[in-house]
């Protein structure tokens, strides 16, 4: 029996410069996809996978994120007074059990590996999930739940992976595949943001990980990697050498890169179309746009 995965780290310390000026005063993770902040999607996914302890690695200026998961007595009292039970219901997902959330501060932007390392004392000798809220994944079975099932079979480290075009591999961590078993691949290496033409495969890592405590141990060395940052990919690569216990997992679902403007807009359309109350109006508008474009051609 493998130790259950009950803890998750959410690295949310980034400045979100790609979304300036919006992110000047609003944390990127609070930006809204339809009517829910990005972070809510990640939390929902983690909950659905059985996570009960949520660790946010934050930085200066992320106060709105802490407030988001707190009760808001004034708002609640007002909604209650007005009998708005439907809206009170909407707020339920934003509440966390007392003591279930912890915030750790990353004092300096030293990379994803460093952010995860900042949470090490709260993880101890347990497996941990890491979710990057920029990567939003639409799927019938939430991506992390699929990964927990894969972890329960292997007991090894599981990283979410998907095929990307060759010209995009330099934006990702990329897997060096040992054996391709379909949904699962065993891995003999992993490279962070390989230079064009040098990627070991087209299988890119997406921001969902289940990690054994040893990986966090490898981060202790604080070695700089790609971009002069302490990379999570490098710590996982060390674990591959040490234990040969790392698997790539081709998840079922569609991933949106909400760290880019185009990806965020695509996600907005896709999640809008998935909402019963919005889909007809939105689809009608998209049809109109397509018709106008066709007429102009
Ligand atoms: C991070 C990881 C990278 C991974 C990517 C997925 O990179 O370092 O290995 O492929 O997330 O979104 P970032 O996009 O933060 O530069």
């Amino acid at each position: 029996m493998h130790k259950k995965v009950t803890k998750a780290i959410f690295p949310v310390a980034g400045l979100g410069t790609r979304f300036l000026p919006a992110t000047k005063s609003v944390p990127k993770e609070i930006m809204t996809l339809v009517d829910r902040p990005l972070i809510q999607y990640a939390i929902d996914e983690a909950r659905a996978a059985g996570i009960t302890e949520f660790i946010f690695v934050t930085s200066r200026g992320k106060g709105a994120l802490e407030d988001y998961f707190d009760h808001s007595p004034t708002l609640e009292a007002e909604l209650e007074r007005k009998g708005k039970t439907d809206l009170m219901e909407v707020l339920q997902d934003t509440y966390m059990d007392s003591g279930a959330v912890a915030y750790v501060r990353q004092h300096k932007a030293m990379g994803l590996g460093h952010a995860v390392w900042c949470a090490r004392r709260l993880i101890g000798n347990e497996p941990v999930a890491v979710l990057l809220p920029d990567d939003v994944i639409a799927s019938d079975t939430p991506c992390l739940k699929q990964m927990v099932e894969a972890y329960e079979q292997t007991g090894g480290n599981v990283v979410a992976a998907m095929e990307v075009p060759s010209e995009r591999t330099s934006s990702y961590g990329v897997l060096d595949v040992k054996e391709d078993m379909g949904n699962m691949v065993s891995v003999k290496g992993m490279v962070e943001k390989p230079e064009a033409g040098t990627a070991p495969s087209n299988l890119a890592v997406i921001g969902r990980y289940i990690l054994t405590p040893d990986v966090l141990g490898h981060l202790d060395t604080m070695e700089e990697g790609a971009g002069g940052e302490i990379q999570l990919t490098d710590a996982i690569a060390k674990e591959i050498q040490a234990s040969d216990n790392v698997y790539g997992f081709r998840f079922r679902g569609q991933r949106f890169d909400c760290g880019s403007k185009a990806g965020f807009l695509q996600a907005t359309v896709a999640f809008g179309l998935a909402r019963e109350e919005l889909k007809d109006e939105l689809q009608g508008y998209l049809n109109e746009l397509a018709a106008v474009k066709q007429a102009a051609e």
Side-chain angles (χ1 to χ4, degrees):
M1 239 335 241
H2 309 297
K3 272 191 188 163
K4 248 175 104 50
V5 189
T6 58
K7 297 181 178 177
I9 299 174
F10 301 83
V12 291
L15 290 174
T17 48
R18 279 198 267 178
F19 283 92
L20 281 171
T23 45
K24 185 179 170 208
S25 62
V26 179
K28 179 176 63 168
E29 301 74 19
I30 290 290
M31 289 191 358
T32 312
L33 199 48
V34 188
D35 52 10
R36 300 153 77 83
L38 276 188
I39 191 70
Q40 183 74 57
Y41 292 87
I43 293 290
D44 290 350
E45 185 182 327
R47 276 189 177 134
I51 300 297
T52 51
E53 290 182 55
F54 304 81
I55 301 158
F56 295 90
V57 181
T58 66
S59 60
R60 187 171 293 272
K62 299 279 179 169
L65 203 60
E66 297 192 24
D67 290 346
Y68 178 78
F69 289 110
D70 199 1
H71 281 256
S72 172
T74 325
L75 175 63
E76 285 157 32
E78 191 58 15
L79 292 177
E80 188 157 16
R81 198 179 62 80
K82 292 187 170 155
K84 304 238 179 215
T85 44
D86 51 336
L87 292 180
M88 289 171 76
E89 190 60 34
V90 164
L91 289 180
Q92 284 306 317
D93 289 345
T94 69
Y95 299 142
M96 307 293 261
D97 291 343
S98 294
V101 191
Y103 299 94
V104 178
R105 195 94 162 208
Q106 185 188 25
H107 294 103
K108 228 173 150 187
M110 290 169 71
L112 177 59
H114 180 259
V116 168
W117 179 81
C118 287
R120 68 200 178 284
R121 294 205 177 88
L122 297 175
I123 306 303
N125 193 30
E126 287 180 47
V128 63
V130 177
L131 295 93
L132 310 188
D134 272 1
D135 283 327
V136 176
I137 300 170
S139 55
D140 291 340
T141 305
C143 179
L144 192 68
K145 187 166 197 286
Q146 298 174 34
M147 291 173 70
V148 165
E149 284 160 15
Y151 164 80
E152 279 164 0
Q153 282 169 25
T154 63
N157 295 273
V158 182
V159 301
M162 72 178 219
E163 253 83 28
V164 299
S166 302
E167 63 275 15
R168 300 287 303 137
T169 47
S170 56
S171 304
Y172 295 94
V174 180
L175 300 179
D176 192 353
V177 176
K178 186 163 86 177
E179 193 187 346
D180 198 329
M181 298 165 283
N183 283 350
M184 298 284 279
V185 298
S186 65
V187 169
K188 59 174 187 259
M190 200 168 153
V191 195
E192 181 67 12
K193 305 203 169 70
E195 277 179 33
T198 67
S201 76
N202 281 27
L203 207 48
V205 173
I206 299 308
R208 300 288 184 278
Y209 308 77
I210 295 177
L211 303 175
T212 55
D214 292 338
V215 174
L216 272 66
H218 296 310
L219 289 166
D220 283 339
T221 57
M222 293 287 139
E223 277 168 42
E224 287 180 10
E229 295 191 335
I230 295 161
Q231 297 290 355
L232 185 57
T233 295
D234 294 342
I236 300 172
K238 278 194 183 158
E239 185 57 13
I240 297 170
Q241 301 314 323
S243 73
D244 192 17
N245 200 14
V246 177
Y247 298 87
F249 178 73
R250 288 194 182 91
F251 55 94
R252 299 176 301 281
Q254 190 181 1
R255 173 256 186 175
F256 296 92
D257 175 12
C258 289
S260 82
K261 288 175 202 168
F264 206 113
L265 289 169
Q266 287 162 19
T268 302
V269 174
F271 279 78
L273 288 174
R275 293 280 281 268
E276 210 44 54
E277 74 278 22
L278 295 173
K279 69 172 196 226
D280 290 343
E281 200 174 334
L282 185 53
Q283 187 62 62
Y285 175 64
L286 293 175
N287 293 348
E288 249 173 60
L289 280 184
V292 169
K293 188 164 174 271
Q294 221 174 22
E297 277 167 5

